[in-house]
């Protein structure tokens, strides 16, 4: 099950991130997870939101460059070695990981790891075969 | 090979044609266009005062703003029922200009484009693919009629859709490509992506226009496509493409002097400069019925020579346009025209048409920053996409201008739209030492 991640291009200017959060807040869109990678010139903000389609619309309307990417959200036990196990499955399947970010959920003992790979459907199959739990959109958006 | 006997007349014969047509054109404009009546009256010149070609300099200049101010048809010399075609340009400040052609104007325009095609070596044996836009823009239709006139098989594919362009080129064995130089460069990149080699195509000649291109770009195009690159020049205000054109000698663009008189002036004082001087080129139409132009200031910087060309044409030649008089900058001693940067940016995928150049001084060195806007979110998958994009822009600008610039990527619509051309450049350098 793939989850929608929203990517937003941020110029390196003060207040740009706040404009994104203000736009989302004003439209009652909740941020479930976020991750920023930046260089000195610009940043890419990656977010998991409860209403991704509406978010694309309002952020585009506010003048941002936005795209959405299918990502996989894994639920893995919050214990040493479990992330390594999940990543080994991917590397054994020759699936190269573009990036990942993790956060500890509120309600369960599992940690949530968001991963982006080139071939998400193949990754889903490999992960399922290895018995790693992949979260559905509803589960992730409702975290 | 020539299309028309007027291309090889002696200077004396040409000047006789020009003088009689000039007298007609001035009288016609004075009589039918109130704007020209006022222009000539303002300096106390009557059409009958035009007795020699030199007398042309008595007439005031016509500017682009005059066309805008008289939008849409205020400078037309004929009523609507004599106009068979409109063309126009959007202009950079939002207010467009419109021009109109009578049946006679269309005939002359077709004639000029046929000469241009012939000078590029195009014949009835050729298949010509027109990748200029068809529409209000003069490029597509102008070339279309001219190429049909010489008998070439015309493919009116219009601009865009590179993959289809290449498919048609291969399937119909296109030999002549008509496009803007930056689009051609873009096409060569698409070819690379698709694994199409120049040997897979039958292209032999390019007829490029709509924007200037530097010798560096020409070299690249000729190398990448294995073709002869010919350039041509035109302005919507004068008719569109066909005003002047290169022959295979690549030694300047031949001006259709039986249709236009060209002068070179000092862009600041307006004074006419002697042959060989660099300055702004000014054109006067000689046969226009729809919308005559008397001493139209192009703002284009070039040079004229009246020496006959090795190809046999005696028509005056103008150098490839160096830039526009109103927007040249000097960056670290290099003359830079925003149009040169623009030409580069137009060939880059993934960014919008808007850009801004910011010039500053850092430690006594000029620095130029090029700001461009991302077209959409398609590059946000990874950083390497964005870095490749800014690297490509930087590299291409360095190739054309020999200066290193900083590239800044922005969100769409960040750059002010209403600003118009003059705000494309923000020069923050201090003028005083």
């Amino acid at each position: 099950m793939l989850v929608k991640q929203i990517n937003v291009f941020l110029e390196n200017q003060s207040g740009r991130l706040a404009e994104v959060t203000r736009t989302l807040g004003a439209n009652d869109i909740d941020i479930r997870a976020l991750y920023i990678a930046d260089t000195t010139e610009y940043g890419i903000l990656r977010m998991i939101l409860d209403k991704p389609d509406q978010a694309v619309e309002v952020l585009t309307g506010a003048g941002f460059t936005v795209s959405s990417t299918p990502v996989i959200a894994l639920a893995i036990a919050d214990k040493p070695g479990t992330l390594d196990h999940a990543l080994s499955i991917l590397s054994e399947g020759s699936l190269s990981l573009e990036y990942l970010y993790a956060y500890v959920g509120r309600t369960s003992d599992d940690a949530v790891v968001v991963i982006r790979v080139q071939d998400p459907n193949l990754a889903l199959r490999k992960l399922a075969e290895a018995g790693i739990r992949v979260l559905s959109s509803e589960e992730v958006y409702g975290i | 090979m020539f299309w028309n006997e007027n291309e090889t007349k002696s200077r004396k014969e040409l000047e006789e044609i020009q003088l009689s047509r000039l007298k007609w054109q001035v009288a016609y404009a004075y009589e039918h266009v109130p704007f020209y009546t006022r222009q000539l009256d303002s300096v106390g010149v009557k059409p009958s005062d035009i007795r020699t070609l030199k007398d042309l300099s008595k007439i005031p200049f016509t500017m682009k703003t005059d066309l805008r101010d008289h939008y849409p048809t205020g400078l037309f010399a004929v009523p609507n029922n004599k106009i068979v075609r409109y063309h126009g340009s959007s202009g950079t400040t939002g207010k467009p200009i419109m021009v109109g052609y009578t049946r006679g104007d269309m005939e002359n325009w077709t004639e000029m484009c046929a000469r241009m095609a012939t000078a590029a070596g195009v014949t009835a044996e050729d298949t010509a693919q027109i990748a200029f836009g068809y529409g209000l823009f003069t490029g597509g239709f102008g070339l279309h009629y001219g190429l049909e006139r010489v008998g070439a098989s015309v493919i009116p594919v219009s601009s865009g859709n590179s993959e289809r362009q290449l498919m048609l080129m291969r399937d119909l064995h296109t030999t002549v490509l008509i496009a803007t130089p930056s689009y051609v460069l873009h096409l060569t990149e698409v070819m690379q992506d698709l694994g199409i080699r120049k040997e897979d195509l039958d292209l032999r000649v390019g007829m490029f226009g709509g924007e200037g291109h530097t010798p560096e770009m020409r070299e690249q195009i000729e190398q990448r496509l294995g073709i002869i690159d010919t350039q041509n020049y035109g302005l919507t205000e004068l008719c569109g493409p066909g005003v002047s054109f290169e022959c295979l000698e690549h030694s300047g663009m031949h001006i259709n002097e039986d249709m236009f008189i060209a002068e070179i002036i000092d862009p600041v004082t307006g004074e006419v400069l002697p042959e060989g001087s660099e300055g702004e080129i000014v054109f006067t139409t000689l046969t226009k019925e729809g919308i005559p132009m008397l001493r139209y200031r192009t703002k284009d910087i070039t040079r004229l020579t009246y020496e006959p060309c090795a190809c046999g044409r005696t028509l005056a030649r103008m150098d490839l346009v160096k830039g526009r008089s109103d927007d040249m900058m000097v960056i670290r001693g290099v003359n830079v025209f925003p149009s040169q940067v623009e030409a580069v940016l137009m060939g880059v995928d993934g960014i919008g048409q808007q850009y801004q150049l910011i010039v500053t001084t850092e430690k006594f060195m000029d620095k130029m920053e090029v700001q461009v806007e991302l077209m959409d979110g398609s590059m946000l998958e990874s950083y390497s996409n964005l870095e490749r994009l800014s690297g490509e822009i930087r590299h291409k600008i360095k190739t054309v201008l020999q200066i290193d610039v900083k590239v800044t990527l922005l969100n769409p619509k960040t750059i002010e739209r209403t600003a118009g051309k003059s705000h494309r450049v923000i020069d923050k350098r201090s003028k005083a030492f």
Side-chain angles (χ1 to χ4, degrees):
Chain A
M1 179 95 200
L2 296 169
V3 174
K4 251 181 214 170
Q5 170 191 270
I6 304 305
N7 313 305
V8 184
F9 176 80
L10 291 179
E11 292 114 342
N12 196 3
Q13 284 167 10
S14 60
R16 291 301 273 166
L17 178 57
E19 272 178 58
V20 173
T21 53
R22 196 181 315 128
T23 306
L24 294 174
N27 288 280
D28 204 24
I29 297 169
D30 198 16
I31 303 172
R32 300 308 189 185
L34 98 155
Y35 162 65
I36 301 183
D38 67 344
T39 66
T40 51
E41 308 292 327
Y42 46 77
I44 300 176
L45 170 64
R46 308 191 191 282
M47 295 181 289
I48 305 291
L49 303 162
D50 65 343
K51 290 165 222 150
D53 296 328
Q54 194 196 339
V56 170
E57 205 175 296
V58 298
L59 288 171
T60 306
F64 286 97
T65 310
V66 185
S67 70
S68 71
T69 307
V71 293
I72 298 171
L74 306 175
I76 56 172
D78 191 6
K79 283 191 304 201
T82 50
L83 178 59
D84 177 56
H85 174 58
L87 295 183
S88 321
I89 304 294
L90 296 174
S91 70
E92 279 160 23
S94 300
L95 284 151
S96 68
L97 190 65
E98 292 190 15
Y99 51 82
L100 70 75
Y101 48 104
Y103 55 101
V104 178
R106 265 197 312 239
T107 50
S108 79
D109 292 336
D110 288 344
V112 177
V113 177
V114 177
I115 62 170
R116 165 68 183 157
V117 289
Q118 275 297 358
D119 188 346
N121 290 315
L122 179 61
L124 279 179
R125 215 171 59 228
K126 296 276 176 201
L127 292 162
E129 282 166 13
I132 294 173
R133 193 158 82 86
V134 173
L135 297 175
S136 69
S137 301
E138 291 72 32
E139 284 175 289
V140 174
Y141 301 155
I143 292 164
Chain B
M1 204 168 35
F2 315 111
W3 182 257
N4 187 291
E5 56 176 21
N6 280 356
E7 294 178 73
T8 52
K9 287 240 172 8
S10 71
R11 178 84 353 224
K12 186 168 169 290
E13 288 170 307
L14 259 174
E15 287 183 351
E16 279 166 13
I17 297 172
Q18 285 188 318
L19 183 59
S20 77
R21 290 184 176 180
L22 176 66
K23 287 178 178 171
W24 172 81
Q25 183 80 87
V26 173
Y28 176 84
Y30 186 82
E31 193 179 326
H32 294 98
V33 186
F35 167 77
Y36 287 119
T37 319
R38 289 195 301 274
Q39 288 274 90
L40 267 71
D41 286 350
S42 74
V43 290
V45 174
K46 294 275 170 257
S48 55
D49 295 331
I50 306 298
R51 291 187 203 95
T52 69
L53 288 177
K54 282 217 168 354
D55 292 330
L56 175 61
S57 62
K58 294 175 180 167
I59 297 174
F61 295 116
T62 303
M63 318 291 279
K64 184 160 201 150
T65 47
D66 294 321
L67 278 130
R68 287 212 188 97
D69 293 346
H70 292 84
Y71 175 84
T73 58
L75 296 187
F76 283 26
V78 294
N80 180 57
N81 63 2
K82 297 278 186 244
I83 295 291
V84 297
R85 177 83 66 79
Y86 285 108
H87 276 290
S89 75
S90 58
T92 42
T93 55
K95 202 170 175 187
I97 59 159
M98 289 306 300
V99 295
Y101 302 70
T102 64
R103 209 168 284 287
D105 293 335
M106 286 303 300
E107 174 56 32
N108 284 332
W109 187 23
T110 301
E111 163 70 26
M112 289 187 271
C113 288
R115 292 181 193 177
M116 174 166 111
T118 305
V122 179
T123 68
E125 301 303 315
D126 282 297
T127 300
Q129 184 160 331
I130 302 182
F132 268 158
Y134 279 69
L136 275 183
F137 170 58
T138 50
F141 281 101
L143 268 294
H144 183 107
Y145 281 71
L147 285 158
E148 265 189 10
R149 178 67 57 92
V150 301
S153 317
V154 173
I155 311 171
V157 57
S158 195
S159 55
N161 199 340
S162 306
E163 293 193 20
R164 190 176 56 164
Q165 297 276 0
L166 290 163
M167 181 193 82
L168 290 171
M169 235 176 256
R170 201 156 46 174
D171 295 350
L172 296 174
H173 304 283
T174 302
T175 54
V176 183
L177 176 62
I178 292 87
T180 60
S182 50
Y183 185 64
V184 176
L185 278 179
H186 169 70
L187 268 183
T188 62
E189 282 161 4
V190 178
M191 279 170 66
Q192 216 164 20
D193 294 343
L194 297 178
I196 301 174
R197 295 164 309 152
K198 59 183 175 189
E199 293 79 17
D200 300 332
L201 303 173
D202 298 295
L203 287 181
R204 71 182 187 84
V205 176
M207 293 175 65
F208 303 135
E211 67 193 14
H213 69 300
T214 56
E216 290 84 355
M217 263 172 103
R218 157 175 282 173
E219 211 172 290
Q220 278 210 22
I221 289 171
E222 292 197 326
Q223 227 167 49
R224 290 196 203 176
L225 284 176
I227 60 169
I228 302 167
D229 169 322
T230 66
Q231 300 193 44
N232 55 75
Y233 173 88
L235 289 133
T236 306
E237 298 87 320
L238 299 174
C239 70
V243 175
S244 68
F245 53 84
E246 276 189 317
C247 63
L248 299 176
E249 297 289 330
H250 280 180
S251 59
M253 298 185 284
H254 297 272
I255 297 169
N256 278 309
E257 280 190 288
D258 52 344
M259 310 274 189
F260 304 99
I261 294 178
E263 302 168 275
I264 294 286
I265 63 159
D266 180 320
V268 179
T269 62
E271 179 197 353
V272 178
L273 301 176
E275 179 181 351
S277 317
E278 187 174 282
E280 179 179 336
I281 192 158
V282 170
F283 285 101
T284 298
T285 60
L286 296 176
T287 58
K288 265 296 189 82
E289 297 170 338
I291 173 165
M293 282 289 130
L294 302 185
R295 302 194 85 202
Y296 182 72
R297 287 192 60 164
T298 62
K299 305 272 181 182
D300 289 325
I301 300 292
T302 183
R303 204 191 298 265
L304 280 180
T305 174
Y306 293 91
E307 283 296 309
C309 180
C311 73
R313 285 179 184 78
T314 52
L315 300 172
R317 282 169 289 154
M318 60 188 267
D319 282 359
L320 300 182
V321 171
K322 197 167 170 189
R324 293 179 56 79
S325 61
D326 46 2
D327 52 22
M328 191 186 86
M329 302 177 278
V330 181
I331 312 279
R332 273 179 250 166
V334 181
N335 289 353
V336 174
F337 289 100
S339 53
Q340 293 173 294
V341 179
E342 186 174 295
V344 170
L345 297 177
M346 281 174 77
V348 177
D349 270 347
I351 57 169
Q353 301 285 320
Q354 299 288 331
Y355 65 94
Q356 203 157 43
L357 308 179
I358 298 176
V359 188
T360 50
T361 316
E362 249 174 63
K363 294 182 183 136
F364 304 106
M365 287 281 279
D366 297 333
K367 298 261 180 201
M368 186 159 87
E369 177 187 343
V370 179
Q371 296 187 336
V372 293
E373 295 174 348
L374 290 173
M375 195 115 87
D376 52 39
S378 59
M379 299 231 174
L380 300 184
E381 283 301 305
S382 73
Y383 268 103
S384 49
N385 286 342
L386 292 174
E387 262 151 31
R388 208 174 305 130
L389 175 67
S390 47
E392 180 193 350
I393 296 170
R394 205 175 132 201
H395 174 75
K396 284 186 169 168
I397 291 177
K398 188 149 193 186
T399 308
V400 174
L401 298 178
Q402 271 95 45
I403 56 170
D404 200 11
V405 298
K406 179 182 172 221
V407 175
T408 303
L409 304 176
L410 300 170
N411 270 309
K413 303 196 179 83
T414 312
I415 295 168
E416 204 185 337
R417 292 306 202 260
T418 50
K421 208 171 185 103
S422 55
H423 289 88
R424 287 225 189 268
V425 179
I426 298 174
D427 198 336
K428 293 179 174 167
R429 288 178 292 186
S430 129
K431 299 281 185 266
F433 285 95

